[in-house]
């Protein structure tokens, strides 16, 4: 099977899939909203600002894709409610995992979130979509060049019956994808096209924005970034199918070009550190420390981890895709 089908099965198989059966956030890997509440709070204020910039529409959805434990939505909406009482904000979630959906329902019960299937219902009202560490788990196809032709990388069984990565004998029509000059390997997430199509359709009816935060590169994507993690340690991508998290780096340059081609208004990618600093994360951190002196060090360390270029501040990028013609959002 292509690497993308392997990734999809490992993550989403209803019986054995990693996300479908094993909520591993906080055990196998840790994410920004789980590191500091300030992360979700800043994004909540960002969303509030952009809702106001849209003219404070009465019907409006704050949508999150891949909401994990629901922590970020909880933090975002707490900040929104403190600022404006939450008026106008309907909360919606797109989540593939039944285990996480159950956790989100419980955590966010007072917000009465609606659960969107495959995004069908975005676009009924102006919306802001936010997703953290969601793009990186969309399956990737991988190609390598051999003897002048491109072939797709596949996962199968070797002579011993163990999982192994091989190369499909059929020639791939990979050149249909944009190829870097001289590259001999290539990785692509086909779902980025689908995502841009969905946003384009929605933005042809209503205004809105979609903000994505994830690790990846702005230009010059490497040809193979597939990695697996279990209990905070990197393991081989074939070692623990279904019980390790599988992930790739997001090719933000490609996402930007796809969105520009579709006529969307694109801002970023920018680095997470400067983005959060620009939104005033330091002031929020100091206010939180003043109100919780006993937790000063923990709060400081958490925020530092998010913004420090040596930690998450540079490797994580933020990109905003907006309805055609919308001006730059705050933070870009
Ligand atoms: N945003 C959260 C969780 C990140 S983990 C955080 O920052 O903590 C990735 C999340 O995306 C999980 O909730 C996972 O179940 C969900 N997910 C993965 N693939 C998805 C898909 N194709 N559609 C919807 N949700 C998906």
């Amino acid at each position: 099977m292509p690497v993308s089908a392997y990734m999809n099965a490992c993550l989403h198989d209803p019986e054995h899939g990693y996300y479908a059966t094993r909520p591993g956030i906080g055990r196998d890997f840790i994410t920004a909203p789980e590191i500091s509440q300030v992360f979700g709070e800043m994004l909540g204020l960002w969303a509030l600002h952009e809702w106001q910039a849209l003219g404070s529409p009465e019907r409006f959805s704050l949508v999150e894709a891949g909401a994990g434990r629901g922590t970020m939505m909880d933090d975002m909406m707490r900040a929104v409610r403190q600022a404006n009482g939450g008026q106008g904000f309907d909360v919606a979630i797109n989540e593939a995992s039944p285990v996480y959906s159950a956790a989100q329902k419980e955590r966010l019960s007072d917000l009465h979130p609606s659960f969107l299937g495959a995004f069908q219902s975005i676009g009924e009202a102006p919306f802001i979509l936010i997703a953290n560490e969601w793009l990186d788990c969309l399956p990737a196809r991988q190609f390598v060049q051999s003897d002048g032709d491109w072939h797709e990388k596949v996962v199968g069984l070797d002579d011993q019956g163990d999982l192994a990565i091989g190369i499909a004998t059929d020639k791939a029509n990979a050149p249909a994808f944009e190829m870097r000059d001289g590259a001999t390997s290539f990785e692509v997430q086909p779902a980025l096209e689908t995502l841009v199509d969905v946003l384009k359709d929605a933005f042809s009816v209503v205004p809105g924005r979609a903000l994505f935060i994830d690790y990846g590169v702005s230009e010059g994507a490497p040809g193979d970034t597939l990695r697996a993690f279990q209990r905070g340690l990197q393991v081989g991508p074939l070692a623990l199918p279904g019980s390790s998290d599988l992930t790739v780096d997001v090719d933000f340059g490609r996402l930007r070009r796809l969105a520009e081609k579709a006529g969307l208004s694109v801002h970023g990618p920018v680095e997470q550190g400067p983005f959060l600093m620009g939104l005033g994360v330091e002031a929020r951190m100091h206010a939180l420390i003043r109100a919780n002196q006993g937790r000063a060090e923990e709060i400081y360390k958490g925020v530092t981890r998010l913004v420090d270029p040596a930690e998450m501040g540079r490797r994580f990028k933020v990109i905003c895709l907006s309805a055609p013609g919308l001006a730059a959002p705050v933070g870009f």
Side-chain angles (χ1 to χ4, degrees):
M1 61 176 89
V3 169
S4 55
Y6 173 76
M7 211 174 152
N8 198 48
C10 286
L11 294 179
H12 300 297
D13 180 84
E15 211 180 316
H16 303 290
Y18 176 75
Y19 286 125
T21 58
R22 300 170 178 83
I25 300 174
R27 183 192 60 208
D28 298 324
F29 63 103
I30 183 87
T31 58
E34 304 294 338
I35 290 171
S36 173
Q37 69 182 78
V38 171
F39 184 77
E41 290 169 350
M42 297 318 295
L43 291 174
L45 295 176
W46 182 88
L48 180 64
H49 185 276
E50 296 311 317
W51 170 73
Q52 285 165 345
L54 290 173
S56 310
E58 245 168 71
R59 276 198 66 212
F60 168 79
S61 295
L62 180 60
V63 186
E64 183 176 357
R69 291 169 163 173
T71 307
M72 187 172 93
M73 184 57 90
D74 199 18
D75 294 337
M76 288 197 294
M77 284 305 295
R78 190 179 54 254
V80 169
R81 283 175 159 182
Q82 275 167 9
N84 90 331
Q87 167 226 339
F89 275 59
D90 287 332
V91 169
I93 289 175
N94 171 257
E95 172 57 61
S97 154
V99 185
Y100 280 131
S101 310
Q104 293 152 15
K105 269 181 200 143
E106 197 177 314
R107 174 83 179 255
L108 305 171
S109 57
D110 62 328
L111 295 170
H112 308 293
S114 48
F115 285 82
L116 309 176
F119 285 127
Q120 314 87 331
S121 38
I122 61 166
E124 284 172 10
F127 68 93
I128 288 175
L129 168 70
I130 305 189
N132 182 60
E133 286 211 35
W134 174 71
L135 293 179
D136 69 85
C137 47
L138 302 177
R141 295 178 69 182
Q142 295 183 334
F143 300 88
V144 286
Q145 202 181 34
S146 102
D147 302 330
D149 290 320
W150 287 93
H151 296 268
E152 181 150 17
K153 282 211 228 169
V154 289
V155 176
L157 297 176
D158 64 14
D159 295 344
Q160 276 80 49
D162 294 325
L163 284 176
I165 294 207
I167 291 171
T169 41
D170 291 350
K171 277 191 227 173
N173 60 348
F177 303 118
E178 49 178 279
M179 207 62 66
R180 261 190 309 138
D181 283 351
T184 53
S185 65
F186 184 65
E187 182 178 76
V188 67
Q189 293 178 284
L192 295 186
E193 264 100 341
T194 321
L195 175 65
V196 166
D197 283 348
V198 166
L199 291 174
K200 183 184 172 178
D201 286 351
F203 291 148
S204 70
V205 187
V206 294
R209 298 195 187 273
L211 187 81
F212 300 99
I213 307 133
D214 224 306
Y215 36 78
V217 292
S218 303
E219 281 310 329
D224 175 6
T225 67
L226 181 65
R227 298 182 305 287
F229 290 90
Q230 193 190 53
R231 298 189 186 276
L233 295 175
Q234 191 169 350
V235 296
L238 304 181
L240 300 164
S243 55
S244 56
D245 185 32
L246 282 179
T247 174
V248 292
D249 283 359
V250 177
D251 183 349
F252 281 98
R254 182 163 170 272
L255 178 57
R256 177 172 49 74
R257 286 188 293 276
L258 287 170
E260 280 170 356
K261 211 168 130 197
L264 304 186
S265 179
V266 184
H267 299 93
V270 296
E271 293 171 356
Q272 171 170 296
F275 176 75
L276 291 174
M277 295 296 270
L279 295 182
V281 74
E282 266 181 313
R284 174 63 198 142
M285 176 184 78
H286 289 306
L288 197 60
I289 287 175
R290 273 197 301 280
N292 302 273
Q293 293 288 351
R295 291 174 47 219
E297 193 177 332
E298 171 210 324
I299 296 166
Y300 179 80
K301 278 192 177 152
V303 173
T304 303
R305 197 166 162 191
L306 300 182
V307 298
D308 187 341
E311 302 211 44
M312 296 167 80
R314 176 170 298 151
R315 187 155 154 57
F316 281 73
K317 313 279 189 295
V318 189
I319 193 169
C320 186
L321 314 183
S322 308
L326 280 195
V330 63
F332 289 86

